[in-house]
Amino acid sequence: MRALRIWAIALVILAALFVAVDRVAVYVAESQAEDRVKVPGAQIGSTDISIKGFPFLTQVAGSELDEVDVKITGIETHAAGRALRISTMNAELHDVRLTDGFSGATAAHATGTAVISYEDLTEAASDGVKVEYGGKSKVKVTGTVTVPLLGRPISRSVLSTVTLVDGHTVRVHADKVPGEGIPGLEKLIREKTDFEREVGGLPNGLKLEKIQPTADGLEISVTGTDVRLAG
């Protein structure tokens, strides 16, 4: 009986040590992975990685992780001469294959959400234009134009619909523009308030699926296969 108790205690201690070593290994791996995340053609701010599943060491031995959750803050890209910053992106990567001596990783499939704040969307819009939430899945766009017939600037705000074009471009289009009977006013306002901006800077393999204006910004659903995370 005493021998059995000793073996039982030894097994409990070994199990505790294994769990402790496993968790330390996860922490080290997450820290190293955060420094290796790269997005082609973009600069990124900070990265937070959480490796799911237990035990971690057996997953590493098989060179495949069950799930890796990634949060990237501040993805900055340029398109058509304008910078467009993705404020945050959260993604769940599943069946992640470790490659290149563990320096690279590719997920079989992924889902996530990217958010573009209205401040960042304003920066990407035309000069002198402000974009904010308009309620009811709309955005409010305010711009100032100078009408030749009046010889003075006129500021107008419009409610606009936001859509995705070809799966990679954000289009902001005013539902209605008050013309007030002034020739050419609607055209001038639309030249300011209507615009398209390409969304770049997503990890290879991710694509945009759906866009929705919310109080916190433009919320974009993303999905992907064979998503390259690092390396």
Side-chain angles (χ1 to χ4, degrees):
M1 290 295 294
R2 183 183 180 193
L4 288 175
R5 285 198 297 268
I6 292 174
W7 274 108
I9 293 172
L11 288 175
V12 170
I13 293 174
L14 287 174
L17 287 174
F18 176 79
V19 171
V21 171
D22 192 80
R23 295 302 88 189
V24 170
V26 168
Y27 175 79
V28 172
E30 289 172 344
S31 299
Q32 292 180 347
E34 288 170 357
D35 296 332
R36 292 177 180 173
V37 173
K38 299 177 182 178
V39 178
Q43 293 182 334
I44 61 177
S46 62
T47 305
D48 183 69
I49 289 182
S50 178
I51 299 174
K52 306 297 184 180
F54 179 83
F56 167 70
L57 292 174
T58 57
Q59 295 182 70
V60 171
S63 297
E64 185 167 315
L65 306 177
D66 296 336
E67 180 183 338
V68 178
D69 293 350
V70 180
K71 179 180 180 179
I72 302 177
T73 301
I75 304 176
E76 297 186 8
T77 62
H78 287 76
R82 286 278 179 175
L84 180 59
R85 181 178 184 271
I86 299 175
S87 309
T88 59
M89 188 194 72
N90 294 281
E92 293 183 0
L93 311 179
H94 298 273
D95 301 327
V96 181
R97 301 185 305 277
L98 303 176
T99 59
D100 305 325
F102 301 138
S103 64
T106 301
H109 57 280
T111 58
T113 302
V115 176
I116 300 174
S117 71
Y118 293 117
E119 180 180 359
D120 288 328
L121 190 59
T122 294
E123 289 293 325
S126 302
D127 294 337
V129 168
K130 181 179 181 180
V131 185
E132 54 194 325
Y133 184 53
K136 297 182 179 180
S137 299
K138 303 287 184 179
V139 296
K140 178 182 176 182
V141 185
T142 302
T144 300
V145 298
T146 298
V147 182
L149 291 178
L150 300 180
R152 60 183 177 83
I154 293 178
S155 179
R156 289 291 183 270
S157 295
V158 295
L159 287 178
S160 301
T161 298
V162 182
T163 55
L164 281 177
V165 180
D166 298 328
H168 57 74
T169 300
V170 173
R171 172 181 289 169
V172 179
H173 183 78
D175 296 343
K176 182 179 179 181
V177 176
E180 298 182 352
I182 302 175
L185 178 59
E186 178 176 348
K187 180 176 181 294
L188 287 173
I189 292 177
R190 284 196 179 276
E191 287 175 350
K192 276 282 188 178
T193 60
D194 290 4
F195 61 92
E196 295 183 1
R197 294 293 181 266
E198 184 176 350
V199 180
L202 295 177
N204 287 338
L206 280 181
K207 61 181 181 179
L208 310 181
E209 287 288 340
K210 181 182 178 181
I211 191 167
Q212 178 75 27
T214 70
D216 296 323
L218 298 183
E219 190 173 286
I220 308 172
S221 300
V222 297
T223 62
T225 56
D226 294 327
V227 178
R228 186 75 172 174
L229 178 63

